[in-house]
Amino acid sequence: MTLKRQLFLASLLMLVIPWAGLQFVLELDQALRDQAQEQLHGQARRMADVTATELGDQPSLEDEDSAIFMHRASQAIQVDGYGDDWPGFHDGDQPWQGAPGQPDIRWQAATHGRYAYLLIRVNHPDPVYLDPGAPDEPHEFLRLRWRTDTLVTERIIRTATPGQVVGRFPYNLSRKDHRVSGQWRTDSRGYQVELRLPALSPGDQLGLEAVWPDPARPGMNLTAGTPLEPIPLVTGQDPLLEARLATLLSPGQQVFVSEPAGWLIARTEASLPGTGRSFEQLSPLEVVEQITLTGLRALVRLYQPEPRPLHVDQTHRLEPGTGGLVQRDDRVYLMAAASAGDGRRLVLTQSLDQILALSGNTLGSVIARSVLLIIGLMLVLLGYASWLSWRIARLQKAVNASVDPDGRILGRIPPSRASDELGELNRQFGHMVDRLQGYTDYLESFSRRLSHELKTPVAVIRSSLDNLEHARTDDERAGYRERARQATNRLSQILQGMSEAARLEQSLDQADRELFDLAAVISEATAAYQGLDPDHRIDYEGPETGYRMNGSPELMVQLLDKLVDNARDFTPAGGLVLVSLTRSGDQLRLSVFNEGSSLPGDLSGEIFNPFVSVREGSGEGHLGQGLLIVRLIAEHHDGQVQAGNHKHDGVPGVRFDVTLPAL
């Protein structure tokens, strides 16, 4: 498989990054929702306690006919009798209220500024209106009664024809109260009256009745509506309570407080912060990122539980502690319900957009960018692989052109100016070709030197044998035999030296590498040295196990043998030879310290060369080869060896440090 295909397959593995990121986002989203749900329940309970405190001793409303709920209008209502500008008139979010068992009348109340508004619908076809000529005859009219503080007010609304109406005093119907005015409209189902009257506040009382003639009992009337005695309470959304709850909300939260009868007495929310940038202000890269982020959010919501619908007019039915995902106005929220005392319910919702701010926006942006980045990296890797393939092919051609099929060097490899690994490989190949050329020259000169070295003893042997045939006396024959023996010994020394050098190099080149614990090898070998040499204190300082490396344990024991033998030669009787092993990062340091004479400064770097010794009067067998073996073994393991004067606990001596790569 080509390098380009290998890099392409490797780049495909990078697609695991966005998949793993998505899994992390899903897990994080679940954890955030669980944490947010728990926090939302705690916040809902605290807000419910605040609600109970704010409402004080205000009695709760247990049934629908115990109060008239006044909606808060966003603007002044135009009193024209049609009611199409009333809150909830079209979508039914705030339905009209009807008395149980009396379906013939429905009403809706609202407030705005200094006025209260009533929209009353009576399903009574063919209404009988006031006859101005017979005002005492039964006819259609409305009776209103309200109480503010201790003042009770009652007004009559009647008309001879549909149109504008005003309130009239019940005991003097000719007297008008223009504070109560409105429009009376008639349709096929009955009539609808829209009225404006002085503002009423929560805690006031309001009652209304629709009166019409009883066809079964001439002269008698029928009534429907709320009771006038006792007058029902006026309730509505409490602005003070809403303002207090608004201070406790976080962005993206909504709170609803409802009475046991279902009336919503508080409703407020804290909007989410805007993005601050329009679509036109986004760069093309940000547009692609937003598209990817939208897909991520869709994936996150795909794995979320299915939300259940939340109806605001049904919040009073939720049990305290209820929670989970809910949907309202095509948006998904977390919901928590709590008891606000006296049967009231507080429902707190949290927008998932805000909960997903961490997983859906920040990490989502990271994943969206990572997808784009990975695609770009794949293209870059393919281009880079093509470039590498071209450079490798060019290097291959240069190498093939520098050597002929018989192995002869034809020329040098052109040097590369690149500073990367391939450039270095090009230069190393060039150096290798140069070294091969030098080695070839060396072999050619070596054959000449070897021929020269062997020519003399061979000539001596040949001449001695020739002369031996012509010798006439025993002394002459003995002299020729001695010369031949000396020449033969000279040949043996040359061959033995060559054989020893070859064995040393072969032992290093053919040593098998394996993973082994250097600490265990050094500690065991040091303990054995102490048992073999009672005249010195040979101690080990370091761990017993745990320092692993790749190499040959036999060669490392041989290295330690040479260092300890060298240390004992220079350590007085009873002196200390300390073997220590430490680790620093990815390097192991094997140290051998011995008490005794110091190392000459001018030889600290030369003692690892062959035939160099600092012993006084080098005796037989001390040809300076031991530390050379130490250096060769250390370099064979990609390490280095150094020597220098050192003090241990104030005692001077020499320390050898071998630095080796660790695993």
Side-chain angles (χ1 to χ4, degrees), residues 20 123 184 344-345 371-372 391 403 414 464 583 610 614 659:
N123 294 324
W184 190 303
R344 297 186 178 98
R345 292 290 181 269
V371 171
L372 301 177
R391 292 180 61 190
V403 183
S464 298
R583 179 168 185 163
V614 296
T659 304

Side-chain angles (χ1 to χ4, degrees), residues 328-394:
R328 187 174 62 84
D329 300 335
D330 297 328
R331 299 187 67 179
V332 180
Y333 300 85
L334 271 182
M335 182 266 294
S339 173
D342 293 337
R344 297 186 178 98
R345 292 290 181 269
L346 182 142
V347 175
L348 180 63
T349 63
Q350 169 76 61
S351 171
L352 282 187
D353 290 339
Q354 189 69 8
I355 297 175
L356 290 176
L358 179 60
S359 60
N361 291 340
T362 305
L363 288 179
S365 298
V366 171
I367 295 176
R369 293 175 184 176
S370 68
V371 171
L372 301 177
L373 181 62
I374 288 171
I375 295 175
L377 285 177
M378 289 177 63
L379 298 177
V380 171
L381 283 175
L382 290 177
Y384 183 67
S386 301
W387 181 60
L388 286 180
S389 300
W390 175 78
R391 292 180 61 190
I392 293 173
R394 186 180 65 173

Side-chain angles (χ1 to χ4, degrees), residues 256-294:
F256 309 93
V257 181
S258 56
E259 294 282 358
W263 312 125
L264 198 65
I265 61 174
R267 173 179 180 169
T268 186
E269 64 178 314
S271 59
L272 285 169
T275 59
R277 299 180 66 188
S278 62
F279 182 80
E280 292 77 9
Q281 296 174 318
L282 298 177
S283 65
L285 181 60
E286 290 174 330
V287 171
V288 176
E289 180 183 332
Q290 289 299 319
I291 294 175
T292 309
L293 182 56
T294 302

